Amino acid sequence: IIQKFPAQVAVLDIRLGFDSGINLISQLKIINPEIHCIMLTAFASLDTSIKAFQEGANDYLRKPLHPSELFSALNRCFEKIFLEREKRLAETALRNNETRMRAILDNTIDGFVTINEEGVIETFNKSAEYIFGHQSRDVIGQNVRILMPEPYRSQHDEYIQNYLRTGKSKIIGLGLEVVGLRRDKTEFPPGCAT
């Protein structure tokens, strides 16, 4: 039935006559890993509840029960399904946006280097690779100071430390030009990357 009519939620009794509802959970999860299972039983015990949750049950209700208890359990399942679906959609949108931004950055003639609040390089586009002579895989995850000669290198660390200490930026949002340091240790002045 589940294979023919995919379900999002299954309500199972521990005693089904032909098998245990707990055993059926794992079979249902093979067919549809995202199915949510609610167990019902009049023979509740700590062992059966533990086993049901270990097999993947989302809820465990004891009979006799009021219909509102079942409605609440179903509500929780459908809320979780909705949130899981929203999370998947958000993750897909984020991946698509990252791919789009990567394509834009990799096809611009300007070198782009982005860092996090601790000064660690997060993105390094193709033009930055050309300008600095580093491959992105070699610099992403490194501190941006590897792209600066002294005294800029030490000053940048001080700016970052001050930002982390106070939360106030003295450089973010300012048009600041510094001398760059290529992989071969040659320096180049602002505006002169060739």
PDB file of all heavy atoms in Angstrom, residues 73-100:
ATOM      1  N   ALA A  73      -0.419  14.595  17.966  1.00  0.00           N
ATOM      2  CA  ALA A  73       0.718  13.843  17.432  1.00  0.00           C
ATOM      3  C   ALA A  73       0.807  14.012  15.914  1.00  0.00           C
ATOM      4  O   ALA A  73       1.891  14.203  15.362  1.00  0.00           O
ATOM      5  CB  ALA A  73       0.603  12.374  17.806  1.00  0.00           C
ATOM      6  N   LEU A  74      -0.339  13.951  15.229  1.00  0.00           N
ATOM      7  CA  LEU A  74      -0.351  14.155  13.778  1.00  0.00           C
ATOM      8  C   LEU A  74       0.108  15.572  13.432  1.00  0.00           C
ATOM      9  O   LEU A  74       0.873  15.777  12.488  1.00  0.00           O
ATOM     10  CB  LEU A  74      -1.758  13.899  13.222  1.00  0.00           C
ATOM     11  CG  LEU A  74      -2.201  12.445  13.181  1.00  0.00           C
ATOM     12  CD1 LEU A  74      -3.696  12.343  12.914  1.00  0.00           C
ATOM     13  CD2 LEU A  74      -1.404  11.670  12.139  1.00  0.00           C
ATOM     14  N   ASN A  75      -0.365  16.526  14.209  1.00  0.00           N
ATOM     15  CA  ASN A  75       0.039  17.918  14.006  1.00  0.00           C
ATOM     16  C   ASN A  75       1.552  18.078  14.105  1.00  0.00           C
ATOM     17  O   ASN A  75       2.172  18.746  13.285  1.00  0.00           O
ATOM     18  CB  ASN A  75      -0.655  18.804  15.040  1.00  0.00           C
ATOM     19  CG  ASN A  75      -1.265  20.026  14.427  1.00  0.00           C
ATOM     20  OD1 ASN A  75      -1.303  20.156  13.215  1.00  0.00           O
ATOM     21  ND2 ASN A  75      -1.742  20.909  15.271  1.00  0.00           N
ATOM     22  N   ARG A  76       2.150  17.465  15.122  1.00  0.00           N
ATOM     23  CA  ARG A  76       3.610  17.546  15.300  1.00  0.00           C
ATOM     24  C   ARG A  76       4.329  16.944  14.093  1.00  0.00           C
ATOM     25  O   ARG A  76       5.311  17.496  13.604  1.00  0.00           O
ATOM     26  CB  ARG A  76       4.033  16.841  16.587  1.00  0.00           C
ATOM     27  CG  ARG A  76       3.694  17.612  17.852  1.00  0.00           C
ATOM     28  CD  ARG A  76       4.344  17.004  19.082  1.00  0.00           C
ATOM     29  NE  ARG A  76       3.837  15.671  19.408  1.00  0.00           N
ATOM     30  CZ  ARG A  76       2.752  15.436  20.138  1.00  0.00           C
ATOM     31  NH1 ARG A  76       2.055  16.443  20.635  1.00  0.00           N
ATOM     32  NH2 ARG A  76       2.368  14.194  20.398  1.00  0.00           N
ATOM     33  N   CYS A  77       3.815  15.814  13.609  1.00  0.00           N
ATOM     34  CA  CYS A  77       4.431  15.176  12.432  1.00  0.00           C
ATOM     35  C   CYS A  77       4.349  16.088  11.213  1.00  0.00           C
ATOM     36  O   CYS A  77       5.344  16.275  10.504  1.00  0.00           O
ATOM     37  CB  CYS A  77       3.760  13.844  12.129  1.00  0.00           C
ATOM     38  SG  CYS A  77       4.217  12.528  13.281  1.00  0.00           S
ATOM     39  N   PHE A  78       3.158  16.656  10.964  1.00  0.00           N
ATOM     40  CA  PHE A  78       3.010  17.497   9.779  1.00  0.00           C
ATOM     41  C   PHE A  78       3.803  18.799   9.908  1.00  0.00           C
ATOM     42  O   PHE A  78       4.334  19.306   8.915  1.00  0.00           O
ATOM     43  CB  PHE A  78       1.533  17.749   9.471  1.00  0.00           C
ATOM     44  CG  PHE A  78       0.855  16.533   8.913  1.00  0.00           C
ATOM     45  CD1 PHE A  78      -0.206  15.937   9.582  1.00  0.00           C
ATOM     46  CD2 PHE A  78       1.295  15.960   7.725  1.00  0.00           C
ATOM     47  CE1 PHE A  78      -0.812  14.799   9.066  1.00  0.00           C
ATOM     48  CE2 PHE A  78       0.687  14.824   7.208  1.00  0.00           C
ATOM     49  CZ  PHE A  78      -0.373  14.239   7.880  1.00  0.00           C
ATOM     50  N   GLU A  79       3.928  19.327  11.119  1.00  0.00           N
ATOM     51  CA  GLU A  79       4.781  20.508  11.320  1.00  0.00           C
ATOM     52  C   GLU A  79       6.234  20.173  11.011  1.00  0.00           C
ATOM     53  O   GLU A  79       6.946  20.946  10.360  1.00  0.00           O
ATOM     54  CB  GLU A  79       4.648  21.036  12.749  1.00  0.00           C
ATOM     55  CG  GLU A  79       3.375  21.803  13.009  1.00  0.00           C
ATOM     56  CD  GLU A  79       3.215  22.209  14.469  1.00  0.00           C
ATOM     57  OE1 GLU A  79       4.161  22.054  15.257  1.00  0.00           O
ATOM     58  OE2 GLU A  79       2.127  22.704  14.806  1.00  0.00           O
ATOM     59  N   LYS A  80       6.673  18.997  11.472  1.00  0.00           N
ATOM     60  CA  LYS A  80       8.048  18.575  11.216  1.00  0.00           C
ATOM     61  C   LYS A  80       8.269  18.357   9.717  1.00  0.00           C
ATOM     62  O   LYS A  80       9.299  18.750   9.171  1.00  0.00           O
ATOM     63  CB  LYS A  80       8.363  17.305  11.999  1.00  0.00           C
ATOM     64  CG  LYS A  80       9.816  16.924  11.930  1.00  0.00           C
ATOM     65  CD  LYS A  80      10.142  15.788  12.868  1.00  0.00           C
ATOM     66  CE  LYS A  80      11.628  15.462  12.778  1.00  0.00           C
ATOM     67  NZ  LYS A  80      11.994  14.301  13.536  1.00  0.00           N
ATOM     68  N   ILE A  81       7.313  17.744   9.037  1.00  0.00           N
ATOM     69  CA  ILE A  81       7.406  17.535   7.587  1.00  0.00           C
ATOM     70  C   ILE A  81       7.512  18.878   6.876  1.00  0.00           C
ATOM     71  O   ILE A  81       8.340  19.070   5.986  1.00  0.00           O
ATOM     72  CB  ILE A  81       6.189  16.730   7.072  1.00  0.00           C
ATOM     73  CG1 ILE A  81       6.276  15.287   7.569  1.00  0.00           C
ATOM     74  CG2 ILE A  81       6.093  16.786   5.553  1.00  0.00           C
ATOM     75  CD1 ILE A  81       4.981  14.506   7.418  1.00  0.00           C
ATOM     76  N   PHE A  82       6.681  19.830   7.281  1.00  0.00           N
ATOM     77  CA  PHE A  82       6.709  21.166   6.682  1.00  0.00           C
ATOM     78  C   PHE A  82       8.068  21.826   6.901  1.00  0.00           C
ATOM     79  O   PHE A  82       8.659  22.381   5.968  1.00  0.00           O
ATOM     80  CB  PHE A  82       5.586  22.036   7.268  1.00  0.00           C
ATOM     81  CG  PHE A  82       5.628  23.455   6.804  1.00  0.00           C
ATOM     82  CD1 PHE A  82       5.161  23.802   5.534  1.00  0.00           C
ATOM     83  CD2 PHE A  82       6.149  24.448   7.621  1.00  0.00           C
ATOM     84  CE1 PHE A  82       5.217  25.112   5.101  1.00  0.00           C
ATOM     85  CE2 PHE A  82       6.210  25.763   7.194  1.00  0.00           C
ATOM     86  CZ  PHE A  82       5.734  26.102   5.927  1.00  0.00           C
ATOM     87  N   LEU A  83       8.589  21.752   8.134  1.00  0.00           N
ATOM     88  CA  LEU A  83       9.883  22.365   8.430  1.00  0.00           C
ATOM     89  C   LEU A  83      11.025  21.691   7.675  1.00  0.00           C
ATOM     90  O   LEU A  83      11.945  22.362   7.194  1.00  0.00           O
ATOM     91  CB  LEU A  83      10.155  22.340   9.941  1.00  0.00           C
ATOM     92  CG  LEU A  83       9.251  23.226  10.790  1.00  0.00           C
ATOM     93  CD1 LEU A  83       9.509  22.989  12.271  1.00  0.00           C
ATOM     94  CD2 LEU A  83       9.460  24.695  10.443  1.00  0.00           C
ATOM     95  N   GLU A  84      10.962  20.363   7.545  1.00  0.00           N
ATOM     96  CA  GLU A  84      11.987  19.642   6.787  1.00  0.00           C
ATOM     97  C   GLU A  84      11.953  20.052   5.318  1.00  0.00           C
ATOM     98  O   GLU A  84      12.992  20.246   4.691  1.00  0.00           O
ATOM     99  CB  GLU A  84      11.789  18.123   6.926  1.00  0.00           C
ATOM    100  CG  GLU A  84      12.153  17.597   8.297  1.00  0.00           C
ATOM    101  CD  GLU A  84      11.694  16.164   8.544  1.00  0.00           C
ATOM    102  OE1 GLU A  84      10.919  15.607   7.721  1.00  0.00           O
ATOM    103  OE2 GLU A  84      12.102  15.594   9.575  1.00  0.00           O
ATOM    104  N   ARG A  85      10.745  20.195   4.779  1.00  0.00           N
ATOM    105  CA  ARG A  85      10.597  20.614   3.381  1.00  0.00           C
ATOM    106  C   ARG A  85      11.129  22.039   3.200  1.00  0.00           C
ATOM    107  O   ARG A  85      11.851  22.319   2.231  1.00  0.00           O
ATOM    108  CB  ARG A  85       9.139  20.530   2.956  1.00  0.00           C
ATOM    109  CG  ARG A  85       8.927  20.847   1.478  1.00  0.00           C
ATOM    110  CD  ARG A  85       7.490  20.635   1.039  1.00  0.00           C
ATOM    111  NE  ARG A  85       7.140  19.230   1.170  1.00  0.00           N
ATOM    112  CZ  ARG A  85       5.985  18.795   1.650  1.00  0.00           C
ATOM    113  NH1 ARG A  85       5.073  19.634   2.052  1.00  0.00           N
ATOM    114  NH2 ARG A  85       5.740  17.507   1.720  1.00  0.00           N
ATOM    115  N   GLU A  86      10.795  22.925   4.124  1.00  0.00           N
ATOM    116  CA  GLU A  86      11.285  24.308   4.049  1.00  0.00           C
ATOM    117  C   GLU A  86      12.809  24.350   4.154  1.00  0.00           C
ATOM    118  O   GLU A  86      13.457  25.120   3.448  1.00  0.00           O
ATOM    119  CB  GLU A  86      10.654  25.158   5.172  1.00  0.00           C
ATOM    120  CG  GLU A  86       9.187  25.430   4.975  1.00  0.00           C
ATOM    121  CD  GLU A  86       8.905  26.278   3.750  1.00  0.00           C
ATOM    122  OE1 GLU A  86       9.504  27.361   3.616  1.00  0.00           O
ATOM    123  OE2 GLU A  86       8.084  25.844   2.918  1.00  0.00           O
ATOM    124  N   LYS A  87      13.371  23.512   5.017  1.00  0.00           N
ATOM    125  CA  LYS A  87      14.829  23.458   5.163  1.00  0.00           C
ATOM    126  C   LYS A  87      15.483  22.998   3.863  1.00  0.00           C
ATOM    127  O   LYS A  87      16.474  23.572   3.418  1.00  0.00           O
ATOM    128  CB  LYS A  87      15.197  22.515   6.311  1.00  0.00           C
ATOM    129  CG  LYS A  87      16.683  22.405   6.555  1.00  0.00           C
ATOM    130  CD  LYS A  87      16.992  21.420   7.660  1.00  0.00           C
ATOM    131  CE  LYS A  87      18.497  21.237   7.799  1.00  0.00           C
ATOM    132  NZ  LYS A  87      18.848  20.163   8.699  1.00  0.00           N
ATOM    133  N   ARG A  88      14.926  21.952   3.230  1.00  0.00           N
ATOM    134  CA  ARG A  88      15.472  21.464   1.960  1.00  0.00           C
ATOM    135  C   ARG A  88      15.397  22.543   0.885  1.00  0.00           C
ATOM    136  O   ARG A  88      16.347  22.746   0.123  1.00  0.00           O
ATOM    137  CB  ARG A  88      14.733  20.209   1.498  1.00  0.00           C
ATOM    138  CG  ARG A  88      15.187  18.947   2.194  1.00  0.00           C
ATOM    139  CD  ARG A  88      14.668  17.694   1.497  1.00  0.00           C
ATOM    140  NE  ARG A  88      13.233  17.654   1.330  1.00  0.00           N
ATOM    141  CZ  ARG A  88      12.372  17.206   2.251  1.00  0.00           C
ATOM    142  NH1 ARG A  88      12.807  16.741   3.395  1.00  0.00           N
ATOM    143  NH2 ARG A  88      11.074  17.212   2.017  1.00  0.00           N
ATOM    144  N   LEU A  89      14.269  23.258   0.822  1.00  0.00           N
ATOM    145  CA  LEU A  89      14.120  24.325  -0.167  1.00  0.00           C
ATOM    146  C   LEU A  89      15.127  25.450   0.086  1.00  0.00           C
ATOM    147  O   LEU A  89      15.732  25.975  -0.855  1.00  0.00           O
ATOM    148  CB  LEU A  89      12.687  24.882  -0.138  1.00  0.00           C
ATOM    149  CG  LEU A  89      11.602  23.961  -0.686  1.00  0.00           C
ATOM    150  CD1 LEU A  89      10.213  24.553  -0.422  1.00  0.00           C
ATOM    151  CD2 LEU A  89      11.795  23.715  -2.179  1.00  0.00           C
ATOM    152  N   ALA A  90      15.314  25.797   1.364  1.00  0.00           N
ATOM    153  CA  ALA A  90      16.280  26.848   1.708  1.00  0.00           C
ATOM    154  C   ALA A  90      17.701  26.414   1.368  1.00  0.00           C
ATOM    155  O   ALA A  90      18.499  27.208   0.862  1.00  0.00           O
ATOM    156  CB  ALA A  90      16.160  27.208   3.191  1.00  0.00           C
ATOM    157  N   GLU A  91      18.033  25.149   1.640  1.00  0.00           N
ATOM    158  CA  GLU A  91      19.370  24.640   1.321  1.00  0.00           C
ATOM    159  C   GLU A  91      19.603  24.632  -0.179  1.00  0.00           C
ATOM    160  O   GLU A  91      20.684  24.990  -0.643  1.00  0.00           O
ATOM    161  CB  GLU A  91      19.562  23.237   1.908  1.00  0.00           C
ATOM    162  CG  GLU A  91      19.710  23.228   3.410  1.00  0.00           C
ATOM    163  CD  GLU A  91      19.647  21.832   4.021  1.00  0.00           C
ATOM    164  OE1 GLU A  91      19.263  20.868   3.314  1.00  0.00           O
ATOM    165  OE2 GLU A  91      19.980  21.717   5.214  1.00  0.00           O
ATOM    166  N   THR A  92      18.596  24.253  -0.955  1.00  0.00           N
ATOM    167  CA  THR A  92      18.712  24.264  -2.414  1.00  0.00           C
ATOM    168  C   THR A  92      18.890  25.684  -2.923  1.00  0.00           C
ATOM    169  O   THR A  92      19.748  25.944  -3.775  1.00  0.00           O
ATOM    170  CB  THR A  92      17.464  23.613  -3.063  1.00  0.00           C
ATOM    171  OG1 THR A  92      17.371  22.270  -2.606  1.00  0.00           O
ATOM    172  CG2 THR A  92      17.532  23.648  -4.571  1.00  0.00           C
ATOM    173  N   ALA A  93      18.105  26.612  -2.387  1.00  0.00           N
ATOM    174  CA  ALA A  93      18.228  28.017  -2.794  1.00  0.00           C
ATOM    175  C   ALA A  93      19.611  28.560  -2.443  1.00  0.00           C
ATOM    176  O   ALA A  93      20.217  29.289  -3.238  1.00  0.00           O
ATOM    177  CB  ALA A  93      17.140  28.863  -2.124  1.00  0.00           C
ATOM    178  N   LEU A  94      20.122  28.194  -1.276  1.00  0.00           N
ATOM    179  CA  LEU A  94      21.448  28.647  -0.865  1.00  0.00           C
ATOM    180  C   LEU A  94      22.523  28.093  -1.794  1.00  0.00           C
ATOM    181  O   LEU A  94      23.413  28.814  -2.238  1.00  0.00           O
ATOM    182  CB  LEU A  94      21.726  28.225   0.582  1.00  0.00           C
ATOM    183  CG  LEU A  94      23.061  28.647   1.172  1.00  0.00           C
ATOM    184  CD1 LEU A  94      23.201  30.162   1.200  1.00  0.00           C
ATOM    185  CD2 LEU A  94      23.226  28.079   2.569  1.00  0.00           C
ATOM    186  N   ARG A  95      22.430  26.785  -2.116  1.00  0.00           N
ATOM    187  CA  ARG A  95      23.405  26.191  -3.044  1.00  0.00           C
ATOM    188  C   ARG A  95      23.346  26.866  -4.413  1.00  0.00           C
ATOM    189  O   ARG A  95      24.369  27.160  -5.019  1.00  0.00           O
ATOM    190  CB  ARG A  95      23.151  24.683  -3.190  1.00  0.00           C
ATOM    191  CG  ARG A  95      23.791  23.859  -2.101  1.00  0.00           C
ATOM    192  CD  ARG A  95      23.766  22.369  -2.441  1.00  0.00           C
ATOM    193  NE  ARG A  95      22.450  21.844  -2.746  1.00  0.00           N
ATOM    194  CZ  ARG A  95      21.564  21.451  -1.845  1.00  0.00           C
ATOM    195  NH1 ARG A  95      21.851  21.513  -0.554  1.00  0.00           N
ATOM    196  NH2 ARG A  95      20.390  20.977  -2.211  1.00  0.00           N
ATOM    197  N   ASN A  96      22.120  27.128  -4.900  1.00  0.00           N
ATOM    198  CA  ASN A  96      21.967  27.797  -6.194  1.00  0.00           C
ATOM    199  C   ASN A  96      22.549  29.208  -6.157  1.00  0.00           C
ATOM    200  O   ASN A  96      23.204  29.639  -7.106  1.00  0.00           O
ATOM    201  CB  ASN A  96      20.495  27.852  -6.611  1.00  0.00           C
ATOM    202  CG  ASN A  96      19.945  26.480  -6.956  1.00  0.00           C
ATOM    203  OD1 ASN A  96      20.701  25.540  -7.197  1.00  0.00           O
ATOM    204  ND2 ASN A  96      18.625  26.357  -6.960  1.00  0.00           N
ATOM    205  N   ASN A  97      22.317  29.910  -5.060  1.00  0.00           N
ATOM    206  CA  ASN A  97      22.842  31.264  -4.911  1.00  0.00           C
ATOM    207  C   ASN A  97      24.369  31.249  -4.844  1.00  0.00           C
ATOM    208  O   ASN A  97      25.036  32.086  -5.452  1.00  0.00           O
ATOM    209  CB  ASN A  97      22.255  31.933  -3.665  1.00  0.00           C
ATOM    210  CG  ASN A  97      22.570  33.410  -3.623  1.00  0.00           C
ATOM    211  OD1 ASN A  97      22.476  34.093  -4.630  1.00  0.00           O
ATOM    212  ND2 ASN A  97      22.952  33.897  -2.459  1.00  0.00           N
ATOM    213  N   GLU A  98      24.918  30.287  -4.105  1.00  0.00           N
ATOM    214  CA  GLU A  98      26.378  30.179  -4.017  1.00  0.00           C
ATOM    215  C   GLU A  98      26.989  29.880  -5.383  1.00  0.00           C
ATOM    216  O   GLU A  98      28.010  30.454  -5.751  1.00  0.00           O
ATOM    217  CB  GLU A  98      26.772  29.090  -3.008  1.00  0.00           C
ATOM    218  CG  GLU A  98      26.543  29.492  -1.575  1.00  0.00           C
ATOM    219  CD  GLU A  98      26.750  28.347  -0.580  1.00  0.00           C
ATOM    220  OE1 GLU A  98      26.928  27.182  -1.017  1.00  0.00           O
ATOM    221  OE2 GLU A  98      26.740  28.624   0.624  1.00  0.00           O
ATOM    222  N   THR A  99      26.353  29.005  -6.155  1.00  0.00           N
ATOM    223  CA  THR A  99      26.830  28.677  -7.499  1.00  0.00           C
ATOM    224  C   THR A  99      26.784  29.910  -8.392  1.00  0.00           C
ATOM    225  O   THR A  99      27.729  30.198  -9.129  1.00  0.00           O
ATOM    226  CB  THR A  99      25.974  27.536  -8.106  1.00  0.00           C
ATOM    227  OG1 THR A  99      26.065  26.395  -7.248  1.00  0.00           O
ATOM    228  CG2 THR A  99      26.434  27.170  -9.492  1.00  0.00           C
ATOM    229  N   ARG A 100      25.694  30.641  -8.295  1.00  0.00           N
ATOM    230  CA  ARG A 100      25.533  31.867  -9.092  1.00  0.00           C
ATOM    231  C   ARG A 100      26.579  32.908  -8.712  1.00  0.00           C
ATOM    232  O   ARG A 100      27.230  33.506  -9.580  1.00  0.00           O
ATOM    233  CB  ARG A 100      24.121  32.426  -8.884  1.00  0.00           C
ATOM    234  CG  ARG A 100      23.805  33.616  -9.733  1.00  0.00           C
ATOM    235  CD  ARG A 100      22.313  33.989  -9.582  1.00  0.00           C
ATOM    236  NE  ARG A 100      22.141  35.373  -9.881  1.00  0.00           N
ATOM    237  CZ  ARG A 100      22.088  36.356  -8.994  1.00  0.00           C
ATOM    238  NH1 ARG A 100      22.120  36.090  -7.714  1.00  0.00           N
ATOM    239  NH2 ARG A 100      21.943  37.598  -9.362  1.00  0.00           N
TER     240      ARG A 100
END
